[in-house]
Amino acid sequence: MIRDELSAGELKEELEVLRRGVAFVAYRDDAGGRRLAALSDDRAMTVGRAASSDVWLNWDVEVSGLHCQLELLGEQWVLGDDGLSRNGTWLNGERVTGRRRLRDGDRIRCGQSTLLFRDPTGAPVATVVSADNDRPRAPALSPAQRRVLVALCRPLRDGGAFAAPASNSEIAAELVLSVDAVKTHMRALFNRFGLGEIPQQRKRLRLAELAFESGALADSDETWERRQLK
């Protein structure tokens, strides 16, 4: 099963794959370790207990040898079962018959195993869009919200490709706020950037991505400058 909480190392690994723009599935093995399997855009990827499977769930006795497939049709990833599995394939709690289109953050259950589908090209974007280049544009933020956003993104800005967004406790320590106050500001930021529908455990990373993509954290920001001068 996939835990909602990711370790710092797991989050760093996922962030690196997301930055490559590659669709993938994430899942836990029988020892609880997290695995990422990149999807190929030129052939169907198989999921099953057979050793030839691209996503090999050999520890799950409820998974069929060939359980289901994931493939790219046009510009959309789809999940197909077509009677391949003995116990069925489930997408977000609903049994799959035939093919179903996948969206970033979807959960696929095969036997007792859960796969999280991630597609960077299909991840939600801010609802406010620039007419000039179709890039997300930063929404209006209060000074307090902006400080929290800067603190959230600082590890990504200063720590390189394998850094992760700051935790609520780290933000609270930097800004001398209570964790509850940080949580309140984070909820407001999620709403400001249109992240109401994205799974909870993905919101922090996607918020950080949108903050950089939209220009909400410009190089001229005095908060960055103060830290860089230290």
Side-chain angles (χ1 to χ4, degrees):
M1 296 292 291
I2 292 181
R3 299 194 298 266
D4 284 344
E5 293 296 329
L6 302 182
S7 69
E10 290 167 347
L11 188 57
K12 290 175 184 177
E13 183 182 19
E14 181 159 315
L15 179 59
E16 176 63 20
V17 178
L18 285 169
R19 286 177 172 174
R20 296 175 191 160
V22 177
F24 62 92
V25 290
Y27 56 100
R28 300 278 178 187
D29 60 25
D30 55 339
R34 196 166 191 259
R35 302 188 182 187
L36 305 183
L39 302 181
S40 173
D41 59 5
D42 59 2
R43 65 180 180 87
M45 302 286 285
T46 59
V47 179
R49 201 149 53 93
S52 59
S53 301
D54 296 298
V55 180
W56 190 23
L57 305 177
N58 60 311
W59 57 84
D60 193 333
V61 297
E62 295 185 19
V63 172
S64 299
L66 174 57
H67 198 97
C68 61
Q69 294 182 316
L70 300 102
E71 60 182 321
L72 187 65
L73 296 181
E75 298 182 352
Q76 298 291 331
W77 284 97
V78 298
L79 169 68
D81 188 319
D82 290 324
L84 295 174
S85 64
R86 180 178 67 253
N87 294 319
T89 302
W90 305 77
L91 178 63
N92 299 327
E94 297 183 6
R95 185 159 185 166
V96 174
T97 56
R99 291 175 173 175
R100 293 281 299 276
R101 184 171 65 179
L102 292 171
R103 295 179 174 83
D104 181 62
D106 279 348
R107 291 179 179 268
I108 304 164
R109 182 167 64 82
C110 304
Q112 294 299 311
S113 301
T114 300
L115 286 70
L116 175 69
F117 172 75
R118 295 302 321 268
D119 180 10
T121 64
V125 297
T127 54
V128 180
V129 175
S130 168
D132 295 333
N133 54 17
D134 291 334
R135 290 181 57 193
R137 189 174 64 218
L141 302 176
S142 70
Q145 290 166 355
R146 185 172 178 79
R147 287 193 294 271
V148 169
L149 186 61
V150 168
L152 173 78
C153 299
R154 192 181 305 286
L156 301 177
R157 174 74 176 233
D158 299 339
F162 295 98
S167 66
N168 286 341
S169 59
E170 290 170 336
I171 296 171
E174 176 179 335
L175 301 181
V176 194
L177 295 172
S178 69
V179 172
D180 286 341
V182 172
K183 289 180 178 178
T184 297
H185 289 308
M186 289 296 297
R187 285 193 294 269
L189 287 167
F190 293 149
N191 291 332
R192 291 284 189 178
F193 280 84
L195 297 178
E197 300 300 322
I198 195 171
Q200 184 65 35
Q201 68 274 15
R202 304 290 156 213
K203 284 184 177 181
R204 300 178 71 84
L205 178 58
R206 187 56 186 154
L207 175 59
E209 292 172 344
L210 286 174
F212 286 111
E213 292 171 10
S214 65
L217 303 177
D219 289 342
S220 60
D221 187 285
E222 63 178 85
T223 309
W224 292 124
E225 292 178 351
R226 286 200 303 270
R227 181 58 61 95
Q228 290 167 354
L229 291 173
K230 291 183 178 180

